[in-house]
């Protein structure tokens, strides 16, 4: 798991030198900690009710053919989000210790 | 939004707002989607439940009676699945209003059965805050205990109960575990909850913090992720096999509707015909016999024939939905739907619309985005519903000779039928694009759907679904269709000439038909077709019965009669007209109810009518060029 994950990161090259900055950039199986939701209050609230709250770890899962929408696992539940929504969910930049 | 924050607070003061009309207790069942609420409800009420709509709004309501060991009865109301009591979607508004006793005709519940998924307690506990804040006696039921244990999770029920200040029960609705305790709760009077503390309800992060603190106090350890769901998802959402399976499922649904349903429909049709013939023999020759046999039996019978087809479709959809596959199908369909401005959740209603637009429109309730929902409602009637089939079948059989096409792969009649399906689908896509780029343009909030774990559908839940649908369908047949059949029969038999029925062209129906003839003449329709068209405003399939009555013949004879009545160009025009026009009172009624006014159904009716007229006008001329 760890190995495959590392190699995938290497393949991604310079683009992936930095940590993923939004949910969109997470590879399948990779996870990050949510920092904030750059969405209108109403939409953000809905997502938070489902568990997408700042501070929660979010894991990327499978996607529909073509990569959109993608399934994300949060709080033990899975939700499908469109790319445009996932791009507004910003990840925390400090490396999460659980990734090591 | 402001309304939402006031919801729990208002509850503390507006106890008198509810008009308690029930002589016995009413208990509301509430919980997040996929918490197994309905399974519990079905287990408790069984066949003693009914479906109704909440007065004034569109949300379907199941309510049922539970007989307690002592002999008393309690009414259970199954509220829609909600993530919070923030009334944003129609479902949440209803849940909130019912719990506060603000829905007329529904008494304020005396207690609440809060159903949470024990395998997903982290998130589901967030709903407990606002529900407990209502101050009604509440039993917190942690459902799917069997799953929790099997996957190695655990929870300290007593500690949780202490934190929440309300009784907590670990149960499994599917296995029947804990049902006795639920009955005891329903029988007894539990005091109002007194949680140790409550979160600030308007602040979601605070609510969540509260929920996670409670969870820790209750010693909750989440179960392992369901292995089978992972495995199945890697197949159903596979980049190659996923779409393949999706296509296979859609094709299988169609195959079932159009082939497997045929013997069943033939059987129903045979029963209707033979009972009608029997009735014709035993009754003395009189206007009453004509009314009963031609009007009631012919009219209602022509619709009841579709029951097996509709039930099969619902059986299919029920299995897909209960198993969890439908959510995956919506994910796969999302990209394609996005191209016409809609979203994955619109896919399910549009698929149902191939059986009937009415349940399809009810199924749009799951679409949170109001504009997407209305757009889906507006295009659903373009899908070729089963009521168009008898019309298509009759006209195609009369005008298109059976010839093999594409090296015998497809017959010419099947090709014509397929063409009409494509035509309706094309009109739907075009209309969706038009709507979503103009009056129903929406921004953001595209698509958000929970992927429930896969579960085996229970026979009971499927059976209850089908029972529901049969009741709704037969009620419609017994009211709308029956009245139209009787009115039509009267119009065709009045005014009396020499104490008997008049020749058709002198009857009221004939006079009306002649009045509209100038309008439909450019489409190649004469006044008899006009009478058929007017009668089919009630329901499309009625035209077959009407034409049968006009010519006084059926089956082969009717086809021959049609050939002398319509030119081939007129026949094509008639097919196109039926593909586009909104000829269904039930659909109009349900659209009015679902959209809360006459604006959308009126727009829809005029738009579809104009398209049908223009389409038929063009089709006639194009067909004439090709034929000559």
């Amino acid at each position: 798991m760890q190995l495959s994950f590392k190699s995938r990161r290497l393949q991604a090259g310079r683009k992936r030198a930095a940590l993923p900055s939004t949910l969109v950039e997470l590879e399948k199986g990779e996870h990050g900690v949510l920092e904030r939701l750059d969405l209108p209050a109403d939409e953000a609230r809905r997502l938070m009710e489902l568990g997408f709250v700042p501070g929660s770890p979010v894991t990327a899962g499978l996607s529909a053919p073509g990569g959109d929408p993608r399934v994300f696992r949060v709080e033990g539940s899975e939700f499908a989000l469109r790319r445009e929504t996932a791009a507004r969910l910003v990840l925390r930049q400090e490396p999460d210790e659980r990734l090591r | 939004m402001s309304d939402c924050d006031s919801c729990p607070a208002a509850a503390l003061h507006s106890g008198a707002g509810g008009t308690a009309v029930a002589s016995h207790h009413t208990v509301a069942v509430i919980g997040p989607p996929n918490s197994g609420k309905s399974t519990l409800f079905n287990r408790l009420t069984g066949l003693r439940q009914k479906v109704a709509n909440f007065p004034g709004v569109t949300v379907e309501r199941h309510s049922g009676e539970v007989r307690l060991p002592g002999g008393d009865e309690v009414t259970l109301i199954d509220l829609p699945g909600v993530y919070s009591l923030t009334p944003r979607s129609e479902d949440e508004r209803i849940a909130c209003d019912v719990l506060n006793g603000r829905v007329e005709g529904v008494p304020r519940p005396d207690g609440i059965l809060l159903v949470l998924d024990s395998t997903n307690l982290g998130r589901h506990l967030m709903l407990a805050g606002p529900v407990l804040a209502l101050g009604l006696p509440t039993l917190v039921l942690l459902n799917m205990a069997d799953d929790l244990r099997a996957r190695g999770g655990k929870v300290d029920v007593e500690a949780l109960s202490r934190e929440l200040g309300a009784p907590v029960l670990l149960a499994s609705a599917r296995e029947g575990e804990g049902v006795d305790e639920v009955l005891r709760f329903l029988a007894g009077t539990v005091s109002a909850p007194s949680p140790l503390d409550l979160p600030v309800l308007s602040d979601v992060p605070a609510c969540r913090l509260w929920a996670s603190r409670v969870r820790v106090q209750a010693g909750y350890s989440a179960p392992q992720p369901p292995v089978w769901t992972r495995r199945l998802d890697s197949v159903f959402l596979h980049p190659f096999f996923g779409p393949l399976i999706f296509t296979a499922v859609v094709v299988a649904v169609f195959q079932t509707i159009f082939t497997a349903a045929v013997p069943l429909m033939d059987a129903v049709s045979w029963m209707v015909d033979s009972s009608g013939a029997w009735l014709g023999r035993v009754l003395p020759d009189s206007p009453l016999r004509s009314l009963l046999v031609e009007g009631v039996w012919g009219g209602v019978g022509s619709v009841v024939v579709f029951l097996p087809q509709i039930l099969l479709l619902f059986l299919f959809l029920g299995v897909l939905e209960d198993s969890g596959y439908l959510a995956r199908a919506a994910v796969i369909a999302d990209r394609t739907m996005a191209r016409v401005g809609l979203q994955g959740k619109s896919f399910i209603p549009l698929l149902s619309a191939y059986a009937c637009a009415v349940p399809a429109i009810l199924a749009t309730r799951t679409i949170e985005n109001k504009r997407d929902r209305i757009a889906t409602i507006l295009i659903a009637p373009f899908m070729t519903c089963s009521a168009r089939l008898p019309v298509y079948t009759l006209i195609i059989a009369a005008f298109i000779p059976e010839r093999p096409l594409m090296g015998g792969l497809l017959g010419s009649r099947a090709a014509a039928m397929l063409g009409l399906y494509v035509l309706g689908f094309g009109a739907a896509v075009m209309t969706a694009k038009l709507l979503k780029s103009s009056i129903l343009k929406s921004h953001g909030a595209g698509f958000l759907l929970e992927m429930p774990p896969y579960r085996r559908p229970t026979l009971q839940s499927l059976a209850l679904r089908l029972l529901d649908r049969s009741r709704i369908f037969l009620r419609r047949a017994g009211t709308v269709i029956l009245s139209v059949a009787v009115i039509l029969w009267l119009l065709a038999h009045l005014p009396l000439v020499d104490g008997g029925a008049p020749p058709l062209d002198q009857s009221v129906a004939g006079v009306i038909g002649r009045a509209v003839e100038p309008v439909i003449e450019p489409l190649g329709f004469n006044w008899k077709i006009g009478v058929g068209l007017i009668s089919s405003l009630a329901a499309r399939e009625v035209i077959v019965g009407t034409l049968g009555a006009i010519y006084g013949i059926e089956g082969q004879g009717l086809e021959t009669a049609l050939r002398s009545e319509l030119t081939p160009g007129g026949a094509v025009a008639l097919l196109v007209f039926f593909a586009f026009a909104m000829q269904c009172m039930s659909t109009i009624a349900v659209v009015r109810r679902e959209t809360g006014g006459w604006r959308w159904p009126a727009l829809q009716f005029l738009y579809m009518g104009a398209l049908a007229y223009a389409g038929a006008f063009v089709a006639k001329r194009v067909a004439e060029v090709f034929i000559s």
Side-chain angles (χ1 to χ4, degrees):
Chain A
M1 183 74 202
Q2 189 112 19
L3 267 178
S4 67
F5 164 54
K6 258 187 189 156
S7 62
R8 205 177 287 139
R9 264 202 171 184
L10 285 175
Q11 281 166 10
R14 67 197 149 72
K15 248 190 159 175
R16 294 301 306 275
L19 286 166
S21 63
T22 66
L23 286 196
V24 168
E25 290 171 30
L26 287 176
E27 301 274 348
K28 181 183 153 195
E30 199 181 358
H31 81 260
V33 175
L34 203 58
E35 170 73 29
R36 61 173 200 279
L37 298 86
D38 279 344
L39 285 165
D42 218 38
E43 274 178 67
R45 194 186 156 101
R46 160 67 77 211
L47 280 164
M48 286 199 280
E49 282 166 0
L50 300 180
F52 291 91
V53 185
S56 334
V58 183
T59 312
L62 293 158
S63 68
D68 188 26
R70 176 173 284 274
V71 176
F72 292 95
R73 168 169 279 267
V74 64
E75 283 265 353
S77 307
E78 294 191 321
F79 297 94
L81 298 182
R82 272 190 189 169
R83 211 182 160 78
E84 63 203 45
T85 311
R88 305 288 204 87
L89 302 190
V90 181
L91 292 171
R92 196 167 281 176
Q93 278 307 300
E94 66 236 48
D96 183 36
E97 64 281 1
R98 268 166 295 194
L99 276 178
R100 310 197 165 255
Chain B
M1 273 284 271
S2 60
D3 207 325
C4 107
D5 299 333
S6 71
C7 171
L12 299 174
H13 310 294
S14 70
T19 43
V21 288
S23 53
H24 60 286
H25 284 312
T26 306
V27 172
V29 186
I30 191 165
N34 304 313
S35 59
K37 228 162 31 68
S38 299
T39 314
L40 176 73
F41 180 79
N42 288 341
R43 184 166 279 276
L44 289 172
T45 59
L47 290 174
R48 296 153 53 75
Q49 57 172 273
K50 55 180 197 282
V51 191
N53 271 288
F54 286 105
V57 280
T58 68
V59 177
E60 250 181 26
R61 164 183 64 149
H62 287 248
S63 71
E65 303 296 319
V66 185
R67 187 163 294 150
L68 301 172
D72 288 343
E73 288 205 338
V74 172
T75 305
L76 274 194
I77 304 177
D78 190 17
L79 291 176
V82 296
Y83 290 111
S84 75
L85 289 187
T86 311
R88 207 175 303 108
S89 75
E90 193 86 22
D91 282 356
E92 286 163 341
R93 190 162 307 123
I94 275 296
C96 191
D97 284 352
V98 168
L99 292 178
N100 283 314
R102 277 185 295 203
V103 178
E104 219 175 296
V106 183
R108 184 169 198 226
D110 303 292
I112 297 175
L113 203 50
L114 174 62
V115 183
L116 306 177
D117 176 0
S118 66
T119 67
N120 209 339
L121 208 51
R123 191 163 58 79
H124 281 193
L125 261 180
M126 278 173 72
L127 184 63
V131 169
L132 293 173
L134 292 167
L136 291 170
T138 303
L139 174 67
V140 182
L141 188 138
L142 308 181
N143 202 3
M144 306 188 193
D146 49 335
D147 251 19
L148 180 75
R149 280 190 287 265
R151 282 159 41 197
K154 62 173 197 297
V155 61
D156 180 348
V157 171
E158 306 218 323
L160 185 59
S161 172
R162 233 181 354 261
E163 284 293 320
L164 298 177
V168 175
L169 175 68
L170 203 54
S172 166
R174 212 172 5 166
E175 305 289 321
E177 178 191 340
V179 168
D180 292 342
E181 284 89 336
V182 174
L183 292 178
R184 226 168 292 146
F185 163 76
L186 295 176
T189 44
V190 172
S191 55
S194 50
L196 287 184
D197 70 339
L198 271 178
V200 186
L201 294 172
S202 53
D203 184 0
V204 182
C207 227
R208 211 186 98 87
L209 223 57
W210 170 82
S212 47
R213 198 185 54 74
V214 170
R215 193 183 52 191
V216 171
Q217 292 293 327
Y220 178 70
S221 66
Q224 294 298 311
V227 182
W228 271 105
T229 294
R230 278 287 160 85
R231 285 185 191 152
L232 287 174
D233 264 347
S234 61
V235 177
F236 289 141
L237 290 177
H238 187 276
F240 176 70
F241 294 111
L244 205 67
I245 293 170
F246 175 85
T247 314
V249 167
V250 174
V251 169
V253 171
F254 276 95
Q255 277 300 98
T256 313
I257 302 179
F258 296 122
T259 55
V262 171
L264 290 168
M265 292 171 75
D266 285 347
V268 176
S269 165
W270 177 82
M271 281 192 287
V272 170
D273 288 349
S274 47
S275 58
W278 175 80
L279 207 61
R281 276 198 307 276
V282 293
L283 290 177
D285 189 10
S286 66
L288 181 71
R289 182 179 84 172
S290 162
L291 171 67
L292 268 177
V293 176
E294 288 160 32
V296 175
W297 233 257
V300 176
S302 69
V303 180
V304 171
V305 169
F306 293 103
L307 186 62
Q309 200 176 34
I310 290 177
L311 288 188
L312 268 175
L313 181 89
F314 276 99
L315 179 67
F316 238 107
L317 289 175
V319 170
L320 292 180
E321 190 175 346
D322 290 0
S323 65
Y325 181 73
L326 220 44
R328 277 75 184 179
V331 169
I332 292 180
D334 183 61
R335 279 260 291 198
T336 317
M337 303 296 293
R339 261 184 228 144
V340 293
L342 290 169
Q343 50 153 305
K345 284 185 191 175
S346 306
F347 164 76
I348 299 157
L350 292 182
L351 186 65
S352 328
Y354 279 104
C356 177
V358 173
I361 286 164
L362 291 176
T364 61
R365 286 190 290 119
T366 54
I367 304 171
E368 283 158 42
N369 185 314
K370 196 151 190 175
R371 286 160 173 252
D372 283 0
R373 179 165 179 237
I374 289 183
T376 311
I377 289 177
L378 293 183
I379 65 169
F382 276 121
M383 300 300 179
T384 304
C385 68
S386 54
R388 285 180 176 103
L389 280 181
V391 187
Y392 288 176
T393 311
L394 174 69
I395 302 173
I396 287 175
F399 286 91
I400 297 180
E402 182 66 41
R403 238 186 274 130
L405 294 178
M406 299 195 333
L409 266 178
L410 201 63
S412 51
R413 287 179 176 169
M417 189 68 101
L418 194 67
L420 289 165
Y421 271 81
V422 173
L423 194 66
F425 179 77
V429 167
M430 191 191 79
T431 307
K433 270 210 134 137
L434 195 71
L435 288 168
K436 293 300 292 179
S437 59
S438 59
I439 48 174
L440 288 174
K441 203 173 198 158
S442 52
H443 313 276
F447 178 66
L448 172 62
L449 187 63
E450 182 170 357
M451 302 281 103
Y454 291 98
R455 293 205 173 94
R456 196 155 32 87
T458 64
L459 270 179
Q460 193 194 24
S461 135
L462 291 175
L464 285 170
R465 250 172 215 270
L466 295 190
L467 193 69
D468 270 2
R469 279 306 141 194
S470 317
R471 278 184 191 157
I472 293 168
F473 182 83
L474 291 177
R475 196 184 308 144
R476 174 186 157 208
T479 51
V480 178
I481 310 278
L482 180 65
S483 352
V484 173
V486 171
I487 291 170
L488 200 79
W489 183 88
L490 285 176
L491 291 183
H493 287 77
L494 291 176
L496 292 180
V497 177
D498 304 329
L504 189 71
D505 59 341
Q506 286 166 34
S507 69
V508 182
V511 172
I512 297 173
R514 290 210 180 277
V516 297
E517 195 172 25
V519 183
I520 55 172
E521 199 272 321
L523 309 182
F525 308 156
N526 63 17
W527 67 270
K528 291 180 189 169
I529 304 286
V531 174
L533 282 183
I534 291 172
S535 70
S536 69
L537 282 179
R540 297 180 174 92
E541 63 275 26
V542 171
I543 193 174
V544 176
T546 308
L547 291 178
I550 290 177
Y551 299 117
I553 31 181
E554 278 181 23
Q556 292 281 311
L558 187 51
E559 286 171 24
T560 319
L562 265 183
R563 272 197 291 271
S564 67
E565 216 52 59
L566 276 171
T567 63
V572 174
L574 193 58
L575 287 173
V576 171
F577 191 90
F578 269 85
F580 291 156
M582 166 85 142
Q583 299 149 293
C584 182
M585 282 195 335
S586 313
T587 307
I588 294 174
V590 86
V591 172
R592 193 200 72 84
R593 213 179 54 198
E594 294 293 310
T595 58
W598 281 111
R599 197 161 71 105
W600 292 112
L603 178 82
Q604 186 176 28
F605 183 80
L606 292 176
Y607 172 79
M608 292 181 76
L611 198 64
Y613 193 90
F617 187 85
V618 172
K620 176 172 185 284
R621 271 134 199 93
V622 171
E624 275 164 359
V625 170
F626 273 90
I627 291 162
S628 61

